[in-house]
Amino acid sequence: MSFELLDQNINRRITISRNKISKLYEQFKQMLGVQYYEQAHEITFGFLVSEYVLKLKIPSKTVDSDTIFLCGRRLLEIFIILKYITQTNTFPKMMEYCQRDRYDYLEGCNARVIADEKFFPELKDLDNYALENKQEQAEILKQYEGKKPKAMETMKAMATAIGYEEEYNYFYKFTSKVLHFCPFSLNGDAYFEHVIHKRVFLIRLVKYLEEIEKELENIYQSIPK
């Protein structure tokens, strides 16, 4: 297949998938409310995932490879989480996972004042909202009997559980070596700016997008209308 035809195929598939996800987003949005109370977790999950995906800027071959890798990595993470939650039917757990992430985020915010004093003294007197953060953390703990909410499984554990360990071992680990500074970086990273390499990874990105659309569609179709 020529580069021109391949580019047309990539662009066409991206447009189709985004349009389908956009339609699902509107369908989930319309279902939010009392009428679908028993499926509220599934609907909310589908709504938020589709909203997040639509906000992602899907790259093209004209951007740098790092941008393609980062987007592809995010789409793979979305797909793994989406498929894992669907297969394990743990939609209600998402709120607990979100609360745990929020709690950890607030812990990071509270650590800022210590980091500032040690490494960034010019930021020392800036408001760090410590009181508000601690109050919010206390409210979260109160909801879970004084304990931190449960954290989501690791990406590797979820990928293994849904039969995508190879995809994790390949693309997830591969992008980790490329996106993060590590000994591999000192080795003279492989040259990824070649037009062929970019198209190879764009195809993978497109496939993740298509699989996300399918999973969202499955959730939508599972809800009694």
Side-chain angles (χ1 to χ4, degrees):
M1 182 182 289
S2 68
F3 279 159
E4 183 178 355
L5 288 177
L6 186 59
D7 290 342
Q8 290 174 1
N9 177 260
I10 289 171
N11 293 333
R12 178 182 61 83
R13 289 168 64 183
I14 288 175
T15 300
I16 290 173
S17 292
R18 285 182 64 86
N19 287 341
K20 288 182 177 179
I21 292 173
S22 181
K23 181 180 177 181
L24 284 164
Y25 167 76
E26 292 299 330
Q27 290 172 325
F28 282 124
K29 185 177 180 180
Q30 291 171 13
M31 299 175 81
L32 293 172
V34 179
Q35 181 181 357
Y36 295 96
Y37 178 78
E38 292 184 2
Q39 293 82 32
H41 292 294
E42 289 90 329
I43 292 170
T44 304
F45 182 67
F47 171 76
L48 293 175
V49 171
S50 56
E51 181 181 52
Y52 182 88
V53 173
L54 290 174
K55 287 181 178 179
L56 288 179
K57 186 176 180 180
I58 307 299
S60 67
K61 71 178 188 301
T62 59
V63 304
D64 61 280
S65 295
D66 279 2
T67 301
I68 296 174
F69 292 151
L70 181 58
C71 185
R73 184 182 174 94
R74 282 179 173 167
L75 289 174
L76 176 59
E77 289 168 341
I78 295 167
F79 171 58
I80 288 174
I81 292 173
L82 181 56
K83 199 169 184 66
Y84 176 80
I85 295 295
T86 303
Q87 285 192 8
T88 56
N89 193 27
T90 50
F91 296 99
K93 282 287 185 182
M94 279 306 301
M95 180 54 69
E96 187 172 358
Y97 298 151
C98 289
Q99 290 284 59
R100 173 55 182 265
D101 280 354
R102 178 65 182 175
Y103 188 93
D104 290 344
Y105 165 80
L106 292 169
E107 277 194 335
C109 291
N110 292 337
R112 201 205 85 199
V113 64
I114 300 173
D116 287 353
E117 288 180 359
K118 183 176 181 179
F119 204 49
F120 301 99
E122 64 271 27
L123 300 178
K124 181 179 178 180
D125 295 326
L126 290 181
D127 191 345
N128 65 338
Y129 307 101
L131 180 59
E132 293 91 335
N133 293 345
K134 290 183 183 300
Q135 288 174 340
E136 186 177 347
Q137 285 182 301
E139 287 299 318
I140 292 174
L141 291 178
K142 189 185 299 183
Q143 297 175 44
Y144 297 94
E145 300 179 348
K147 300 178 181 178
K148 286 185 182 181
K150 184 178 179 181
M152 181 179 277
E153 296 283 353
T154 65
M155 198 60 59
K156 181 177 182 179
M158 287 189 286
T160 301
I162 63 173
Y164 281 82
E165 186 176 5
E166 294 84 359
E167 200 64 26
Y168 170 88
N169 287 336
Y170 166 58
F171 196 74
Y172 197 84
K173 287 188 175 181
F174 176 86
T175 52
S176 291
K177 295 300 181 187
V178 175
L179 293 172
H180 304 309
F181 182 80
C182 59
F184 176 76
S185 308
L186 303 175
N187 244 353
D189 298 1
Y191 181 59
F192 296 117
E193 295 301 320
H194 192 284
V195 289
I196 293 178
H197 291 311
K198 282 192 173 185
R199 286 175 171 88
V200 166
F201 288 110
L202 278 170
I203 284 290
R204 207 166 202 91
L205 182 151
V206 171
K207 183 63 176 175
Y208 295 152
L209 194 61
E210 291 174 340
E211 291 299 320
I212 289 169
E213 182 272 317
K214 289 178 185 176
E215 291 300 319
L216 288 170
E217 178 66 32
N218 288 339
I219 293 173
Y220 178 74
Q221 293 300 334
S222 71
I223 299 168
K225 308 300 190 291

